[in-house]
Amino acid sequence: MIHNVLVTGGLGFIGSETVIALIESGYTPIIVDNLFNAKESVLGRIEVITGVSPRYYRADCCDENAMRKIFAENKFDAVIHFAGYKAVGESVEKPLEYYQNNIGSACVILKLMREFGVKNFVFSSSATVYGVPESVPLFETDPVREATNPYGATKIIIEGICKDFAKADPSFNIALLRYFNPIGAHPSGLLGEDPNGIPNNLMPYISQVAIGKLPVLHVYGNDYNTVDGTGVRDYIHVVDLAEGHVAALKKLDAGCGLVIYNLGTGKGTSVLELVKAFEDANGIKIPYQIEGRRPGDVDASYANCDKAFKELGWKTKLTVEDACRDAYNFQKKNPNGIL
Ligand code: UD1
């Protein structure tokens, strides 16, 4: 039975939410984070929400010796590997850093799992592995296409490493979870997305416009082949996404080899529809202006999530409006991010 779960990147946006979901489902998460993109104070906030202060190590997953000590001190039953660099634009400027950090850390973790006989692995993959989709919705059986940036390439390569690894040793259970666009925050307003500097992603940008930290939202393109010309994505509430990890662990526990799931809502929402949902949910106006397209963006990307529902019994419960309300609540309570 899976009980002790190593969560790498467990103080980050999705990692911390998953730690809460794990505690609430009776698991014992143990967190490793190097604080590259997270704050140690998240630990205290997890305790306020759950009443539990999880064991935490400040360590870098690329540091094999440090990680070996952590594996030796604990008896892990499973690993959920969130730790990694994730900024698309930055990955274009610093490809080597992205390849070394993301692929290096995944290899260290898998190697130590083999060494210590930890047989269950969940990897944070992304819808980016589908590249420029030929059609939507996207199914897990759709081809993995050429990455549009080094960040995406690391996800594709790590998926490949996992597949080869599982083939070499069929006693391993591995879930590749392809996230669509995670948004929202914990309803308490204690945890949420806290990007460094000016946000690249849509929801944190809208939230910062909402509190007056940024003057206006730039909408990148209104000439896409979509309902209103703006880009369509599958926005999933981070609390639902976290639950998806708990569901995946149960699947691994039953013994499944390598499995792949889309984690999304199955529903596409355009940029302007998201703006409207944010305005309606929070009773405020978001000023925006239309700009040219952002390089590398696609018209539409949303998931078919039937497989996750059939095989994991998981589907999203929260709406885009819920996510807009929770994101705004978090932003208001943490105008300068998590300190
Ligand atoms: C990107 C990554 C994805 C990653 C995700 C993290 C790619 C191609 N995409 O998704 O892998 O997992 O970030 O959440 O690798 N937009 C605006 N104004 C803004 C920001 C965004 O109009 O200020 C639009 C974009 O053009 C797009 C939509 O909003 O249509 C969503 O953009 P974003 O939040 O950045 O996510 P993705 O690019 O879909």
Side-chain angles (χ1 to χ4, degrees):
M1 278 285 279
I2 296 177
H3 184 72
N4 294 334
V5 184
L6 169 62
V7 184
T8 74
L11 297 181
F13 173 45
I14 308 172
S16 59
E17 206 63 64
T18 301
V19 164
I20 289 171
L22 289 169
I23 293 170
E24 287 173 350
S25 304
Y27 293 95
T28 297
I30 296 99
I31 297 172
V32 167
D33 204 301
N34 67 358
L35 303 183
F36 177 80
N37 202 11
K39 304 275 166 38
E40 208 163 279
S41 61
V42 165
L43 211 54
R45 296 180 179 215
I46 291 171
E47 188 175 1
V48 170
I49 292 167
T50 62
V52 173
S53 181
R55 184 177 298 171
Y56 157 68
Y57 295 90
R58 180 173 182 176
D60 191 316
C61 294
C62 292
D63 183 342
E64 189 173 326
N65 290 332
M67 291 305 298
R68 182 172 285 105
K69 266 198 198 141
I70 296 169
F71 270 75
E73 272 175 31
N74 295 274
K75 207 211 138 301
F76 299 131
D77 304 308
V79 179
I80 307 182
H81 184 46
F82 291 104
Y85 294 163
K86 61 169 188 177
V88 172
E90 185 186 61
S91 78
V92 177
E93 274 141 43
K94 300 179 174 172
L96 274 185
E97 283 79 357
Y98 270 68
Y99 285 112
Q100 186 164 21
N101 182 63
N102 289 8
I103 297 167
S105 63
C107 289
V108 165
I109 296 291
L110 287 171
K111 189 174 169 192
L112 292 172
M113 287 178 67
R114 190 179 57 190
E115 199 173 311
F116 287 85
V118 182
K119 298 283 185 179
N120 301 296
F121 185 60
V122 179
F123 176 60
S124 293
S125 192
S126 165
T128 194
V129 303
Y130 295 115
V132 179
E134 256 173 22
S135 62
V136 280
L138 289 153
F139 291 82
E140 290 85 348
T141 46
D142 285 348
V144 166
R145 292 181 197 282
E146 206 187 323
T148 48
N149 55 71
Y151 156 79
T154 69
K155 296 293 179 191
I156 294 173
I157 292 167
I158 297 167
E159 283 204 359
I161 292 171
C162 289
K163 286 175 190 164
D164 288 340
F165 187 75
K167 223 181 278 168
D169 186 342
S171 70
F172 276 89
N173 301 305
I174 299 183
L176 306 177
L177 303 183
R178 294 176 176 164
Y179 310 153
F180 281 69
N181 289 57
I183 59 167
H186 192 270
S188 63
L190 288 169
L191 296 175
E193 197 169 3
D194 180 19
N196 291 325
I198 296 177
N200 298 308
N201 297 116
L202 180 59
M203 186 56 123
Y205 205 106
I206 293 177
S207 304
Q208 294 198 12
V209 171
I211 63 159
K213 205 171 168 187
L214 293 169
V216 62
L217 170 69
H218 304 279
V219 174
Y220 297 134
N222 67 347
D223 58 350
Y224 285 105
N225 183 20
T226 61
V227 57
D228 56 18
T230 65
V232 164
R233 298 290 183 274
D234 187 338
Y235 296 98
I236 172 170
H237 196 301
V238 66
V239 168
D240 278 330
L241 185 62
E243 291 296 337
H245 293 75
V246 175
L249 273 189
K250 290 186 182 144
K251 178 80 181 169
L252 297 184
D253 220 354
C256 59
L258 184 132
V259 288
I260 303 178
Y261 297 104
N262 286 341
L263 296 187
T265 66
K267 187 176 166 289
T269 303
S270 75
V271 175
L272 293 182
E273 284 170 343
L274 191 68
V275 169
K276 172 91 173 42
F278 196 98
E279 292 181 335
D280 291 349
N282 297 311
I284 49 161
K285 274 307 245 189
I286 300 296
Y288 69 85
Q289 61 198 40
I290 306 288
E291 312 281 352
R293 291 183 177 198
R294 189 172 68 173
D297 275 348
V298 299
D299 299 57
S301 166
Y302 56 92
N304 176 293
C305 300
D306 292 352
K307 190 178 178 208
F309 183 56
K310 271 192 213 122
E311 297 186 14
L312 304 179
W314 170 90
K315 67 173 168 88
T316 57
K317 297 187 190 113
L318 299 165
T319 63
V320 156
E321 285 73 19
D322 294 325
C324 290
R325 185 199 59 221
D326 293 336
Y328 186 44
N329 180 41
F330 171 76
Q331 191 68 66
K332 275 189 298 187
K333 289 190 170 146
N334 304 272
N336 297 313
I338 296 175
L339 301 173

